[in-house]
Amino acid sequence: MSGQIQDMLNVEGIQTYYGKSHILQGISLDVKAHECVSILGRNGAGKTTTLKSIMGLVPPKAGSIRFKGQEIGGRKPFEISRQGIGLVPEDRQIFTTLTVTENLRISYQKERAGGGQWSMDRVFETFPGLAERRGNRGYQLSGGEQQMLAVARALMANPDLLLLDEPSEGLAPLIVEIVLEIIESIKREGLTIILVEQNVAATKRVADRYYILQEGCVVYHGSNQEFWSKPELQLKYLGV
């Protein structure tokens, strides 16, 4: 796979374990600048572990992870974050005893070279529901509001690459639509995105390319058009 700088991310042959359990078995993928790549697969396929490996939360024992041409495998999560990768985790992980404003302020990164333009004012303009609840603590927010806060908090770090892990999980259809509109908006602005999502239909509007994982291996890679023209793929690997 190319290591050229036009590729925002190159993952090559990573092997990741939880204890003695071999979860990722040589996964390789690439993400070009300004595109949205969606990673699909059944539960336990290794989707979340892939994001955690990229973020340094579960470091691979072998393989390479290059971000903008630089090797980041083995670096600490806070170092990877400062280089320009943001994560919206599956379980949101907001600080429930802090207010919305405090959650956002904690993650703000203004100084990083090449950083974007996300500020408190811009977040509240993009997420008006959070603006209304800015003084509320995390535990006082609904599930949808907590998801919005998790996305907004990641954007406050002004990342070049955003990792989204199941952003629609457990949300009402109306809230899912709002989340998708936000993802579409930040993609139009040029932010590079990796989207892990069980709701396959929700990815159709935003994904440029797809990777399907099965038992820790990549079993399919193709464009949005190709993927949606082959319903047998969805049935075989995703059961939908």
Side-chain angles (χ1 to χ4, degrees):
M1 236 174 275
S2 170
Q4 296 176 359
I5 202 69
Q6 73 220 25
D7 289 338
M8 181 71 73
L9 184 78
N10 297 97
V11 176
E12 295 187 1
I14 59 171
Q15 309 276 347
T16 303
Y17 294 74
Y18 286 127
K20 293 184 178 180
S21 298
H22 194 179
I23 307 300
L24 302 185
Q25 303 183 33
I27 282 182
S28 296
L29 58 87
D30 64 88
V31 184
K32 300 193 184 312
H34 313 306
E35 75 173 343
C36 176
V37 168
S38 183
I39 301 176
L40 306 176
R42 291 187 170 96
N43 288 333
K47 304 184 301 297
T48 292
T49 304
T50 299
L51 297 191
K52 287 183 174 180
S53 294
I54 294 168
M55 201 69 207
L57 296 167
V58 187
K61 290 190 176 181
S64 170
I65 302 174
R66 294 193 307 278
F67 177 59
K68 295 192 287 188
Q70 291 191 329
E71 180 64 42
I72 60 171
R75 295 190 181 179
K76 301 293 185 184
F78 76 90
E79 295 174 324
I80 294 171
S81 174
R82 286 176 181 172
Q83 282 194 263
I85 300 181
L87 171 66
V88 180
E90 184 179 16
D91 49 2
R92 298 162 190 161
Q93 295 181 14
I94 64 167
F95 296 104
T96 56
T97 59
L98 300 183
T99 66
V100 167
T101 299
E102 289 167 341
N103 268 276
L104 295 172
R105 190 176 291 127
I106 280 175
S107 68
Y108 182 51
Q109 289 190 41
K110 178 182 178 182
E111 314 304 334
R112 186 177 60 75
Q117 302 300 317
W118 286 94
S119 64
M120 196 78 72
D121 287 344
R122 187 177 177 199
V123 161
F124 286 145
E125 181 181 336
T126 305
F127 301 84
L130 292 182
E132 295 172 3
R133 307 294 299 274
R134 69 182 71 193
N136 288 84
R137 300 192 185 277
Y139 69 83
Q140 296 174 311
L141 305 180
S142 68
E145 290 166 340
Q146 289 186 5
Q147 185 64 71
M148 300 291 183
L149 178 55
V151 174
R153 183 181 62 181
L155 291 172
M156 281 288 284
N158 281 299
D160 296 313
L161 172 62
L162 183 64
L163 313 179
L164 289 165
D165 195 358
E166 303 284 6
S168 76
E169 184 177 35
L171 302 182
L174 180 61
I175 305 300
V176 171
E177 178 63 24
I178 294 172
V179 170
L180 285 174
E181 288 175 358
I182 290 168
I183 296 171
E184 284 183 294
S185 174
I186 60 179
K187 183 195 170 188
R188 281 196 300 270
E189 293 182 7
L191 186 60
T192 309
I193 300 168
I194 298 180
L195 172 63
V196 164
E197 184 56 76
Q198 280 292 112
N199 182 355
V200 181
T203 68
K204 188 173 185 178
R205 285 159 43 182
V206 294
D208 296 298
R209 291 187 294 122
Y210 288 92
Y211 287 89
I212 299 178
L213 306 187
Q214 186 175 53
E215 297 180 351
C217 300
V218 174
V219 293
Y220 171 79
H221 168 229
S223 68
N224 183 304
Q225 182 178 1
E226 181 187 79
F227 173 77
W228 288 101
S229 70
K230 297 181 177 179
E232 67 275 10
L233 281 173
Q234 300 172 47
L235 185 61
K236 180 178 180 180
Y237 294 121
L238 306 172
V240 295

